[in-house]
Amino acid sequence: MAKRLREASPWGEPPGSPANSLDDGCLMHIFSFLSPIPDRYNTALVCHRWRYLACHPRLWLRVERPLRNVTEPGVYTNLEAAVSAARPGDTILIAAGSTYLACNIQIKKPLCIIGGGELPDDTVLTCSRGSENALEFLSTCKIANLTIKAELGCCLLHRSGKLTIEECLLQCEQNPLDYLSFPIVSTAIEYNALSSLREQGHGVTVVRTRIEGGAKAIRTNGTLALQHVRAIYARSSVFFWFEVGET
């Protein structure tokens, strides 16, 4: 009987597991409630079937360098193409071990962008000189586990929505024009008196993030202000927690 069960499991999953009696659509729906890193990532290590479902383009898109000239659904060679193809609420996983160019990429829909490495240093986005920013946010978004470098200008430009920056490294290159560089710039206006309806709100939340270089960590040009600043000094880095919101 056990032999027949093993032969009836083409995906290689452990026979007899109650979860494996569910169909693919039901399992994928359950996986969609897991946080992408580390929970959904870890489900891909269970068996071949769970790997296929956990990495399905319906759950997240991937940015990675192709090892061969073969296209896979949901896999893109650059972040801008992935952002363009993403639907509101999608998660984009950027593969570790490479540096990707990110210059003035506008994000106008709710997205979660995550680096696929163990540390932020493993996945690097670089904004070249001459570009105003690496990423420009016009919607509620989250970025996590990424290193973002800007030669001049800012790493992240926040125009509207709620932006969460979690466990990242934001780095402005050291140069004589350092006073023009800011890791984060927010131009959001919390409330427009001429508008008939108040929006959900705007703000920036920074959690356990290293910030290096630039004139100061964040510049605000709108009505938002820096609040609740906390810093922890480690052996070789300084980690910041703060919020930017209406005073």
Side-chain angles (χ1 to χ4, degrees):
M1 180 66 178
K3 181 179 180 181
R4 287 200 299 272
L5 283 172
R6 285 194 296 270
E7 291 174 349
S9 302
W11 294 99
E13 68 269 17
S17 173
N20 287 319
S21 63
L22 302 174
D23 61 33
D24 288 356
C26 187
L27 267 180
M28 197 179 301
H29 183 66
I30 293 172
F31 291 167
S32 70
F33 291 99
L34 300 176
S35 62
I37 302 292
D39 298 333
R40 199 187 303 161
Y41 182 85
N42 288 337
T43 61
L45 306 177
V46 173
C47 62
H48 293 297
R49 181 190 179 203
W50 284 32
R51 175 182 174 83
Y52 171 78
L53 297 177
C55 296
H56 197 279
R58 278 178 55 189
L59 294 183
W60 52 16
L61 291 77
R62 305 201 314 271
V63 176
E64 58 186 44
R65 305 290 189 200
L67 297 178
R68 56 188 185 281
N69 191 22
V70 177
T71 58
E72 299 180 49
V75 179
Y76 301 87
T77 57
N78 62 78
L79 178 58
E80 189 168 14
V83 168
S84 178
R87 299 167 298 178
D90 276 351
T91 297
I92 299 175
L93 179 69
I94 305 177
S98 295
T99 298
Y100 302 87
L101 190 64
C103 299
N104 301 327
I105 299 178
Q106 283 193 338
I107 303 176
K108 301 180 179 180
K109 47 198 165 186
L111 294 177
C112 181
I113 303 175
I114 298 176
E118 293 185 6
L119 299 171
D121 311 69
D122 297 334
T123 311
V124 181
L125 302 180
T126 299
C127 176
S128 60
R129 184 181 294 270
S131 300
E132 293 184 3
N133 57 77
L135 304 176
E136 179 180 349
F137 296 92
L138 295 96
S139 184
T140 295
C141 294
K142 176 181 178 179
I143 63 170
N145 202 39
L146 289 169
T147 292
I148 303 176
K149 297 182 178 181
E151 292 186 12
L152 190 63
C154 66
C155 299
L156 306 175
L157 175 57
H158 169 249
R159 292 200 182 276
S160 60
K162 295 182 178 179
L163 174 61
T164 301
I165 305 163
E166 186 173 305
E167 297 188 1
C168 291
L169 167 58
L170 306 181
Q171 188 177 68
C172 290
E173 296 293 334
Q174 300 292 334
N175 57 69
L177 298 178
D178 206 37
Y179 67 95
L180 297 176
S181 300
F182 299 88
I184 307 170
V185 173
S186 176
T187 62
I189 299 176
E190 178 64 21
Y191 176 61
N192 183 356
L194 299 178
S195 177
S196 58
L197 292 175
R198 182 164 182 164
E199 298 184 17
Q200 291 183 344
H202 309 288
V204 178
T205 300
V206 174
V207 179
R208 192 179 166 78
T209 290
R210 287 179 285 162
I211 296 178
E212 300 176 358
K216 55 183 179 180
I218 183 167
R219 187 183 75 185
T220 57
N221 294 340
T223 61
L224 307 185
L226 185 63
Q227 304 173 8
H228 309 133
V229 180
R230 182 162 63 99
I232 293 181
Y233 290 80
R235 179 174 300 176
S236 58
S237 304
V238 183
F239 294 89
F240 288 93
W241 287 255
F242 61 80
E243 295 180 5
V244 177
E246 185 74 3
T247 55

